[in-house]
Amino acid sequence: MQFYKITMKGDFSKVLKKKACKDDFSAFLTSSKCKALSKVHLFRHEERSCNMLPNRDLFFCPCDTDRKTYVDFFAAFSVRCNGFAEVSAVILELIRKELKVQAVPGEYAEISLESYLNLFDKADDDDMFTRNELFPSCPYMNSESTGLLSRHYFRWSDGVADSKTWDRRQALREFSQICLPGNELGGEMERIYAPVPVSGIFGHPVHYYIESPDLESGMKVVSFIIRMLYSRGRLLSRRYGVLHMNSYDNRRGSTDSAEELRLFLSLHDCASVVAVFENENSGENGGCLVNDGREHLSELLKFMDGSSLNTLYFIICVAPEKSAESKTPLVSVVEEKVALVRIRTGFGTREQAVSYMKDLVVRAGYEKWIDDAVAQIRGNSRTEYSMSIVNDIFRSWTRRVLCNTVYDYGKMFRPEKAKRKVRGRSACQRLGDMIGLERVKEIIDRIIAVSVVARRRKTLGLDESGRSRHMIFTGNPGTAKTTVARLLSEILREEGVLAHGSFVECGRADLVARYVGWTAKTVKEMFDRAEGGILFIDEAYSLAHDTRSGFGAEAIDTIVQEMENRRERMIVIMAGYAEPMKKLLKANAGLASRIAFHVDFPDYSPDDLEGIMKLMLRERQLAVSEEALDKCREIFRKAVARDDFGNGRFVRNLIEGAELAQARRLRDIYGRKAIPKRALTELGAEDFSLPESLNSQVRKGSRIGFLC
């Protein structure tokens, strides 16, 4: 079914000028002649399981006029009728009969369900018709229809895709702006634009399952598919309704909630329905939050089973983490009812991001500064982009252009920016300021020197022999392995050694797929993300734990191969405990030979921990008494005697615990009175407590919970 707003043009001045006051449109609406324009035609219905759906029904009602040259109507009509020409003819005949005016069709546009329901509700409030009399014969409506606007049981939204049609060339150009990790959508585009052997047949052979890290990217793909299908005549309506399934609430009565859901779906007959399942923790099920037995899923599937030929369905699974190429429970259940085309969206290349940015700039009317906008992408250290990331960059850039270029507000903010620039320190300075790690800093300095010299040799055309720069970082948790790796990526980018200096951190869960044979592709995708920067594999030794099953072995073999193939374009850093990392190196004969540097991060000494604490306290604008400092020194001496303490993390946890104790102490002392600034900024000895874990003695070297 379709909902439209239609303008009929003619000379209405003589007919309507006496029917109402100048600014009182409701008086015009209640006039007998105008009320006669509200009609329901061709009262033939086709019984369906959940609602009275139309066969050739048509409803229309006036909603606006200037009393001189036009009258606007909103209309609902079945797509099974002869189309807009028939609708216009019926309305024009009624205008001629009731108002004695010869009118002609003017502008018309398809409107969303929400717009139609609002206009229907308003016309009822203006006494254009009586609902109880109208409903028995009015298509698409019953006494509960406009109740959808209150969204009692679930959250929904809707819209209408752009009316401009695409040929294959235009669709290809738009496709380049969508960030996708695979070519599933490209393959579907080719099928949509393939020649149709039999014409005049309508129906949806397939529906769509879309995996996306955010809803915005998923809806971009939905809009793209709707426009392609509409351009090819495979969709009769550009309307779509979005069901946010996580908001579905059937606790207040499953019958009422199920009826409202079915009513919403029935109102999208011959249009499109987008069911969104949002999941913040994808876990083992690959992004499926939905349980097969949940009421809302069963109701959706029940309706899909009977309406999938006429209504196009999109299932969007929003999962921030990438899922393996396996069928989630949601996919498996839906595929029992309909055939699904699976499309994954997410991160695309820099060139895709540039193309998308250009499109945003043109649409917003900022073509004059398009080169500057593109520079925001090309100068960024990222190697991959999602649409939401590009949108954030575009919004930030737009604000800057408006502030500094279009309008003259830039001077108000430049001093503040200058101060921030002066305070900023380079990555090399931040590395030098880190507490302890003197031996680590020396090795990192050598790594930087070797990399810079190698780049210079390559620039001069001297033999560089493609020397490997991959590394292993070993050490206990909290010894700053990740922090140093991040700083190293920035330093090598500043020195021109790395193309972008992007830093991609991953672990075993990001590299090993659920089934043997899929892991290699997953590993390569991770290397693609880190191209031109550093790939940091934390707890890399865990890959060697399941080499017998084939999962870890496949991951390690692929890592070794990619390390060799990309040794000149990126750096891989494997991190973990010293002893387990030895087992990892033995798991593959070629791995050790591709490691150029081994950096061992020692545990911090009590003096180092004290220095770290003072630095953290300074950043938090806190101070400690001498008595508190002595107590902390004693705690640090006991901490380093254990083999499983958290190093730098231990200090952070100690300070956070002290802040909580201080808050309770100050509340007991001052109650609701104002607390002096000195009391707020000083931690006392009573605020620091010896962690319970340090009260028991653990022998050095008896590490627990790790395979050696």
Side-chain angles (χ1 to χ4, degrees):
M1 66 193 67
Q2 294 178 310
F3 303 129
Y4 269 80
K5 190 172 182 180
I6 307 166
T7 299
M8 294 300 176
K9 295 183 177 181
D11 184 6
F12 297 98
S13 57
K14 295 180 181 180
V15 179
L16 302 176
K17 64 180 180 180
K18 296 180 179 180
K19 300 300 180 183
C21 299
K22 183 177 180 181
D23 296 319
D24 188 7
F25 181 60
S26 62
F28 157 71
L29 291 174
T30 56
S31 66
S32 59
K33 284 187 177 296
C34 191
K35 289 183 70 172
L37 298 181
S38 176
K39 292 289 182 179
V40 181
H41 287 265
L42 305 172
F43 304 151
R44 287 185 291 176
H45 292 84
E46 179 181 338
E47 181 67 28
R48 290 289 177 90
S49 59
C50 61
N51 196 31
M52 299 294 286
L53 292 181
N55 186 18
R56 287 175 55 81
D57 290 334
L58 165 65
F59 166 74
F60 54 85
C61 181
C63 59
D64 194 12
T65 181
D66 67 347
R67 300 185 183 83
K68 295 180 182 180
T69 61
Y70 74 86
V71 175
D72 282 343
F73 291 80
F74 68 96
F77 56 91
S78 168
V79 293
R80 300 181 184 87
C81 68
N82 292 331
F84 187 77
E86 179 184 336
V87 175
S88 299
V90 173
I91 297 176
L92 291 173
E93 175 61 23
L94 195 64
I95 291 175
R96 185 194 63 78
K97 179 180 178 181
E98 297 291 341
L99 302 182
K100 306 297 189 281
V101 173
Q102 294 294 331
V104 295
E107 296 81 12
Y108 63 93
E110 190 170 8
I111 61 175
S112 67
L113 171 63
E114 183 165 14
S115 298
Y116 173 76
L117 294 178
N118 279 319
L119 288 170
F120 191 95
D121 219 15
K122 183 180 183 302
D124 178 40
D125 293 340
D126 290 335
D127 290 330
M128 288 298 299
F129 46 75
T130 303
R131 287 195 185 209
N132 292 336
E133 297 175 357
L134 188 63
F135 282 142
S137 57
C138 181
Y140 330 117
M141 303 297 290
N142 61 33
S143 59
E144 305 297 329
S145 296
T146 55
L148 285 171
L149 293 170
S150 62
R151 296 167 170 83
H152 285 304
Y153 298 106
F154 52 86
R155 184 164 54 93
W156 63 271
S157 56
D158 65 347
V160 180
D162 197 301
S163 60
K164 183 179 179 181
T165 59
W166 286 333
D167 57 25
R168 185 177 179 279
R169 178 181 55 81
Q170 292 167 325
L172 279 170
R173 185 180 61 197
E174 296 290 329
F175 174 70
S176 67
Q177 299 170 0
I178 300 180
C179 301
L180 299 170
N183 193 39
E184 300 99 335
L185 184 56
E188 180 61 13
M189 181 176 65
E190 293 300 325
R191 287 188 287 270
I192 291 174
Y193 280 95
V196 179
V198 181
S199 61
I201 297 178
F202 174 77
H204 300 300
V206 296
H207 302 265
Y208 299 92
Y209 176 84
I210 300 170
E211 292 179 355
S212 177
D214 56 79
L215 181 57
E216 184 179 23
S217 300
M219 287 304 301
K220 183 78 172 180
V221 174
V222 169
S223 177
F224 182 75
I225 293 174
I226 288 176
R227 289 189 65 179
M228 287 195 298
L229 292 173
Y230 185 78
S231 300
R232 297 288 287 163
R234 286 177 53 181
L235 262 179
L236 303 178
S237 171
R238 294 175 290 111
R239 251 185 342 107
Y240 59 85
V242 182
L243 270 170
H244 298 271
M245 301 303 293
N246 294 63
S247 68
Y248 186 87
D249 180 13
N250 63 356
R251 291 173 297 177
R252 288 174 285 175
S254 59
T255 302
D256 291 342
S257 58
E259 285 297 326
E260 191 161 294
L261 179 63
R262 289 197 292 270
L263 174 61
F264 178 86
L265 295 172
S266 70
L267 289 170
H268 288 84
D269 180 50
C270 292
S272 301
V273 171
V274 184
V276 179
F277 295 89
E278 298 185 66
N279 178 22
E280 296 181 355
N281 300 301
S282 56
E284 288 294 328
N285 290 334
C288 178
L289 173 140
V290 187
N291 186 301
D292 299 356
R294 290 196 181 180
E295 187 69 24
H296 60 294
L297 181 57
S298 62
E299 291 296 337
L300 175 65
L301 293 175
K302 188 187 302 181
F303 200 91
M304 286 178 66
D305 194 27
S307 63
S308 60
L309 188 63
N310 294 331
T311 302
L312 181 64
Y313 286 93
F314 295 87
I315 307 293
I316 297 182
C317 182
V318 179
E321 298 179 6
K322 289 187 177 180
S323 61
E325 285 191 38
S326 59
K327 289 187 178 181
T328 69
L330 177 58
V331 174
S332 301
V333 173
V334 176
E335 282 188 328
E336 294 177 3
K337 304 293 182 182
V338 297
L340 287 179
V341 174
R342 185 172 181 179
I343 296 171
R344 291 170 300 144
T345 181
F347 295 93
T349 64
R350 177 177 279 103
E351 291 308 313
Q352 285 179 305
V354 167
S355 179
Y356 184 44
M357 174 66 95
K358 288 180 178 179
D359 182 61
L360 292 175
V361 170
V362 171
R363 290 174 187 269
Y366 287 79
E367 296 96 327
K368 185 177 179 180
W369 303 282
I370 194 168
D371 291 339
D372 184 48
V374 169
Q376 306 306 307
I377 302 293
R378 297 204 182 278
N380 197 291
S381 61
R382 286 183 172 274
T383 57
E384 58 176 19
Y385 297 80
S386 68
M387 281 183 285
S388 59
I389 290 173
V390 178
N391 285 332
D392 289 341
I393 295 173
F394 171 74
R395 283 189 287 266
S396 177
W397 173 80
T398 303
R399 286 192 294 267
R400 180 171 61 80
V401 170
L402 285 172
C403 185
N404 297 336
T405 306
V406 179
Y407 303 103
D408 190 18
Y409 288 97
K411 295 179 182 178
M412 296 175 60
F413 304 104
R414 282 172 193 150
E416 181 183 353
K417 289 184 178 180
K419 290 179 182 177
R420 283 203 297 267
K421 188 173 182 180
V422 170
R423 288 198 300 266
R425 294 174 299 158
S426 69
C428 198
Q429 289 174 322
R430 281 179 280 155
L431 178 62
D433 291 343
M434 291 184 69
I435 303 297
L437 303 177
E438 300 307 323
R439 177 60 178 164
V440 171
K441 293 175 188 176
E442 291 179 11
I443 298 174
I444 294 297
D445 187 59
R446 289 209 305 268
I447 293 172
I448 295 169
V450 169
S451 300
V452 171
V453 170
R455 181 181 65 84
R456 180 59 176 163
R457 287 177 61 85
K458 188 174 182 179
T459 303
L460 296 174
L462 300 176
D463 179 37
E464 176 41 30
S465 302
R467 182 182 292 115
S468 172
R469 296 170 292 176
H470 306 306
M471 310 173 198
I472 277 186
F473 284 6
T474 56
N476 287 328
T479 50
K481 297 187 295 295
T482 305
T483 302
V484 170
R486 286 183 185 276
L487 291 174
L488 180 60
S489 70
E490 293 183 38
I491 294 170
L492 294 180
R493 176 177 58 82
E494 292 170 359
E495 295 289 347
V497 175
L498 292 176
H500 309 297
S502 57
F503 183 84
V504 178
E505 183 178 357
C506 65
R508 181 189 181 281
D510 303 302
L511 299 172
V512 176
R514 296 180 65 187
Y515 300 100
V516 175
W518 293 0
T519 294
K521 184 177 180 181
T522 303
V523 171
K524 289 178 182 178
E525 287 177 352
M526 195 61 65
F527 271 80
D528 289 340
R529 291 180 59 186
E531 182 98 12
I534 288 180
L535 178 63
F536 184 82
I537 306 176
D538 199 13
E539 297 182 352
Y541 54 81
S542 60
L543 295 170
H545 292 170
D546 59 357
T547 51
R548 292 181 181 177
S549 66
F551 294 95
E554 184 181 1
I556 295 172
D557 291 345
T558 309
I559 288 171
V560 171
Q561 179 184 350
E562 293 301 312
M563 288 171 70
E564 178 63 22
N565 294 340
R566 311 188 196 214
R567 66 181 182 274
E568 296 183 7
R569 305 194 301 273
M570 63 181 291
I571 295 173
V572 176
I573 299 179
M574 296 180 161
Y577 294 99
E579 290 301 319
M581 290 298 284
K582 293 179 182 178
K583 181 179 179 180
L584 172 65
L585 293 175
K586 294 177 182 178
N588 186 290
L591 181 57
S593 63
R594 286 166 176 81
I595 302 298
F597 304 97
H598 186 156
V599 185
D600 184 59
F601 287 70
D603 288 342
Y604 290 106
S605 68
D607 290 340
D608 291 335
L609 296 178
E610 182 181 339
I612 292 172
M613 184 183 73
K614 290 179 178 178
L615 179 62
M616 290 182 178
L617 290 172
R618 187 162 58 249
E619 291 174 349
R620 297 174 187 232
Q621 295 183 312
L622 292 171
V624 292
S625 64
E626 192 60 35
E627 182 183 0
L629 194 56
D630 289 338
K631 186 174 183 179
C632 290
R633 288 168 180 156
E634 180 61 26
I635 292 174
F636 294 150
R637 280 194 292 272
K638 290 187 176 183
V640 298
R642 292 175 57 95
D643 195 36
D644 58 351
F645 87 103
N647 284 292
R649 297 172 195 170
F650 175 84
V651 179
R652 183 176 63 247
N653 294 336
L654 184 68
I655 293 175
E656 290 174 354
E659 288 180 300
L660 291 175
Q662 180 209 40
R664 290 193 296 268
R665 175 171 58 81
L666 295 178
R667 180 199 60 191
D668 295 340
I669 295 174
Y670 294 97
R672 295 183 178 273
K673 297 179 182 178
I675 304 175
K677 181 178 180 180
R678 175 170 182 148
L680 287 170
T681 57
E682 184 173 83
L683 300 175
E686 64 272 33
D687 298 325
F688 292 92
S689 59
L690 188 69
E692 288 294 327
S693 60
L694 294 185
N695 289 327
S696 59
Q697 295 299 317
V698 177
R699 180 170 51 86
K700 188 81 171 177
S702 59
R703 191 184 307 282
I704 298 174
F706 300 96
L707 296 177
C708 298

